[in-house]
Amino acid sequence: MRTALFRWMVPGLILLVSCSRTGRAAERRPNILLIFSDDHAAHAVGCYGSRINQTPNLDRLAKQGMRFANCLCTNALCGPSRAVVLTGKYSHRNGFLKNGDRFDGSQPTMAKLLQGAGYQTAIIGKWHLESDPTGFDYWNILIGQGPYYNPPMVENGTRRKYEGYTTDIITDVTLDFLKHKRQPDKPFLVMYQHKAPHREWQPDPKHFDLYKDDKIPEPENLFDDYSGRGKAARTQEMTIARHLNDLDLKLTPPKGLTDAQLAPWLAAYKEENEAFQKAGLERDALVRWRYQRYIKDYLRCIAAIDDNVGRVLDYLDESGLTDNTIVIYSSDQGFFLGDHGWFDKRFMYEESLRMPLMIRWPGTTKPGTVNHDLVSNLDFAETLLEVAGVAVPPDMQGRSLVPLLVGQAPGDWRQSHYYHYYEFPAVHSVPRHYGVRTARHKLIYFYQLNEWELYDLEKDPREMHNVYDEPRYAGVVRELKTELDRLRRQYQVPQDDSP
């Protein structure tokens, strides 16, 4: 619903929200805490059925709110996803197609609209959009990707240096804002955004021993040979076997550590590194060693996120803010955790396409619910605007999730999702592609290669068998190509980015 005045119908509850900035209506508007991480795959979250780690504080949000089983990104890359969240528009409409682009801060964003409606707005942590943030009363951001230790940050235009572990520091700054900089007479939007668990997966020293004596289960397709699939899968450069570097594998230490930080870092990795250098492992054993080194550090970084999310949730409880604060947890896209033998993201395959999304809305969303509709980061801006009682601009391209959150899914909810990846030639060598995903099928077009792939997700959830050329799927191909054309028209995708 794209009006500033509307009703939410919940069993036993009618909530009338006005965009008025004064009086009781303003007091009823909920605070919004959007927690965003980087490269956190849904299959590394406990409540999504992870078999490799536990995330008790993130699971807490799912138990107290709603978990979305099918949240899909529009473009599986850090900066583009963040631009979509801010604007509610696909990459080709907001102008940020690939990392290294510069976000046009003059365009409308949900932060600006909430700020204009009386919200106090803040963004803390990873920004990664090149230009300075606009629409925020307070911002304190990493420079570019930012390091895991001792990060320089820019606070409302002034550079500051912090010492410590970046995940902790981002949380410290967020808590300081909530405790000391928040205006109690205004609702707030706080975008609390982590760098972790982005490459090179450098853990907090207190987690160095986590999983040390464990063997993390390997994905079934760690040794995928890409048979039956096209050139894109065979020519990418994100394999655990060949493309992890010495910094990824902790064979060399990161730069920028103090002497006091370097000593425990070296001690934590010394024994394994010495054993590896002496072993002369054969190929399969080397891949397995690399996988264990990679995945343990990745999961250690997630453990720090989970700990720190717990700190913030505890503060909301202690301060009395919980009941009037919507808390959202998501990540900019998914990530390959050895699936297909890969790390990184970019591809439209499930592990990269799928985002974790949990939303806790006390008093409105039924605790412990799971939604299976197709939703997207394209919908975040519209959702937060409707929550605040702010009109959604007609040129935004997503849909508010509010009806889903109150258990009243519209009959015309989307049945398909459009995806488009642009960053090529570039790191990891994933060709440009677009495609359509439905509840059961996925059609991908690698248009620089003129290659099509079709997957039956019900029969082949790991996407190991491209059935595009199988006669029994000819009707599915026709239907999905028609739907793909319809979505490209609906989202006004230009035709000049094609062969």
Side-chain angles (χ1 to χ4, degrees):
M1 190 175 296
R2 299 176 182 269
T3 60
L5 187 64
F6 55 90
R7 273 177 208 271
W8 292 316
M9 300 292 297
V10 190
L13 172 68
I14 299 177
L15 178 61
L16 180 64
V17 180
S18 166
C19 66
S20 167
R21 299 188 189 184
T22 60
R24 295 178 62 188
E27 293 173 2
R28 284 200 302 270
R29 290 184 296 170
N31 304 307
I32 300 166
L33 175 65
L34 173 59
I35 310 171
F36 214 53
S37 57
D38 193 305
D39 294 347
H40 188 180
H43 54 311
V45 184
C47 62
Y48 280 88
S50 173
R51 65 191 190 107
I52 59 175
N53 69 327
Q54 297 179 343
T55 52
N57 290 299
L58 299 182
D59 297 353
R60 180 172 156 192
L61 290 175
K63 290 175 183 175
Q64 297 172 347
M66 178 176 286
R67 175 174 67 85
F68 289 82
N70 288 299
C71 183
L72 310 175
C73 66
T74 58
N75 180 354
L77 207 56
C78 308
S81 180
R82 293 160 199 276
V84 169
V85 168
L86 284 169
T87 62
K89 299 175 185 177
Y90 272 91
S91 300
H92 64 275
R93 292 293 301 276
N94 65 46
F96 202 103
L97 277 70
K98 56 189 184 301
N99 285 339
D101 287 345
R102 186 176 181 84
F103 184 71
D104 177 7
S106 68
Q107 64 185 302
T109 65
M110 59 96 170
K112 287 182 181 178
L113 293 167
L114 290 172
Q115 185 185 52
Y119 271 70
Q120 185 184 15
T121 57
I123 185 164
I124 298 159
K126 181 170 177 178
W127 171 246
H128 209 224
L129 294 177
E130 303 296 330
S131 58
D132 288 342
T134 56
F136 295 95
D137 300 300
Y138 177 80
W139 48 279
N140 197 341
I141 59 171
L142 296 172
I143 299 170
Q145 178 60 44
Y148 271 99
Y149 309 106
N150 309 325
M153 298 178 71
V154 180
E155 182 180 33
N156 281 38
T158 300
R159 182 172 173 138
R160 294 184 56 187
K161 183 68 181 289
Y162 294 84
E163 186 169 316
Y165 190 61
T166 296
T167 304
D168 293 340
I169 290 166
I170 290 170
T171 304
D172 292 342
V173 174
T174 299
L175 288 171
D176 180 69
F177 175 84
L178 291 171
K179 292 175 182 179
H180 305 298
K181 296 181 175 68
R182 181 174 65 87
Q183 297 174 250
D185 61 334
K186 285 187 172 185
F188 61 76
L189 163 71
V190 173
M191 298 179 70
Y192 162 47
Q193 306 204 145
H194 288 290
K195 167 212 171 57
H198 193 279
R199 191 182 187 186
E200 282 90 9
W201 317 295
Q202 294 166 0
D204 186 333
K206 67 175 172 280
H207 292 131
F208 280 158
D209 287 337
L210 187 63
Y211 307 112
K212 181 179 178 182
D213 299 321
D214 298 336
K215 182 179 179 181
I216 306 299
E218 298 170 359
E220 298 169 5
N221 53 1
L222 177 63
F223 293 96
D224 191 351
D225 63 3
Y226 317 118
S227 58
R229 278 153 290 168
K231 185 177 179 182
R234 297 195 306 271
T235 59
Q236 47 61 42
E237 296 178 358
M238 59 172 68
T239 62
I240 286 172
R242 300 191 311 276
H243 298 111
L244 291 172
N245 61 39
D246 286 355
L247 190 57
D248 297 328
L249 296 171
K250 311 304 182 289
L251 299 174
T252 57
K255 296 179 180 179
L257 295 182
T258 65
D259 290 343
Q261 292 168 330
L262 183 60
W265 193 97
L266 291 172
Y269 293 102
K270 179 181 179 182
E271 183 179 343
E272 272 196 70
N273 288 349
E274 289 178 348
F276 161 69
Q277 290 164 356
K278 292 176 181 177
L281 299 173
E282 55 89 17
R283 180 191 177 275
D284 285 3
L286 178 59
V287 171
R288 289 192 160 99
W289 182 89
R290 286 169 168 256
Y291 168 75
Q292 292 296 324
R293 173 56 62 87
Y294 152 59
I295 200 65
K296 287 180 181 180
D297 284 335
Y298 177 89
L299 297 178
R300 288 163 180 153
C301 292
I302 290 172
I305 290 178
D306 191 73
D307 289 348
N308 279 280
V309 168
R311 291 174 60 199
V312 175
L313 296 181
D314 287 347
Y315 174 72
L316 295 180
D317 289 345
E318 294 159 6
S319 62
L321 289 170
T322 292
D323 287 347
N324 196 39
T325 301
I326 294 177
V327 181
I328 302 111
Y329 182 86
S330 190
S331 184
D332 44 11
Q333 67 272 314
F335 211 67
F336 294 107
L337 307 182
D339 316 281
H340 301 287
W342 296 335
F343 65 96
D344 208 69
K345 57 263 184 177
R346 301 167 195 269
F347 279 110
M348 195 186 170
Y349 304 130
E350 285 296 286
E351 296 86 359
S352 170
L353 176 69
R354 188 186 299 270
M355 307 164 65
L357 177 62
M358 297 89 78
I359 300 179
R360 184 180 76 182
W361 189 356
T364 300
T365 298
K366 184 179 178 181
T369 52
V370 180
N371 178 276
H372 293 274
D373 294 301
L374 297 180
V375 305
S376 171
N377 55 343
L378 190 69
D379 303 324
F380 290 10
E382 294 85 343
T383 302
L384 300 186
L385 291 174
E386 182 166 351
V387 159
V390 179
V392 177
D395 62 343
M396 284 190 173
Q397 296 181 300
R399 293 186 67 173
S400 169
L401 303 178
V402 166
L404 308 183
L405 289 166
V406 300
Q408 296 180 351
D412 63 347
W413 192 261
R414 71 168 67 90
Q415 300 299 307
S416 64
H417 172 77
Y418 178 72
Y419 177 89
H420 200 140
Y421 172 79
Y422 297 89
E423 191 173 282
F424 184 88
V427 64
H428 298 306
S429 296
V430 175
R432 299 182 184 190
H433 58 286
Y434 57 77
V436 57
R437 156 82 145 77
T438 65
R440 176 166 176 174
H441 296 102
K442 181 186 297 178
L443 181 69
I444 309 173
Y445 182 42
F446 293 95
Y447 51 90
Q448 292 179 299
L449 306 174
N450 194 26
E451 291 184 353
W452 292 89
E453 294 182 4
L454 174 69
Y455 296 97
D456 185 332
L457 300 175
E458 184 177 287
K459 295 181 177 180
D460 179 27
R462 289 281 189 179
E463 296 168 293
M464 300 291 288
H465 308 288
N466 175 18
V467 295
Y468 178 78
D469 290 321
E470 293 189 14
R472 61 187 171 133
Y473 285 97
V476 174
V477 168
R478 286 193 299 272
E479 291 175 6
L480 290 182
K481 284 187 174 181
T482 298
E483 179 63 5
L484 189 56
D485 288 342
R486 186 192 72 80
L487 291 173
R488 285 173 60 82
R489 290 192 302 272
Q490 174 184 329
Y491 294 123
Q492 301 173 311
V493 183
Q495 296 297 322
D496 56 4
D497 190 30
S498 55

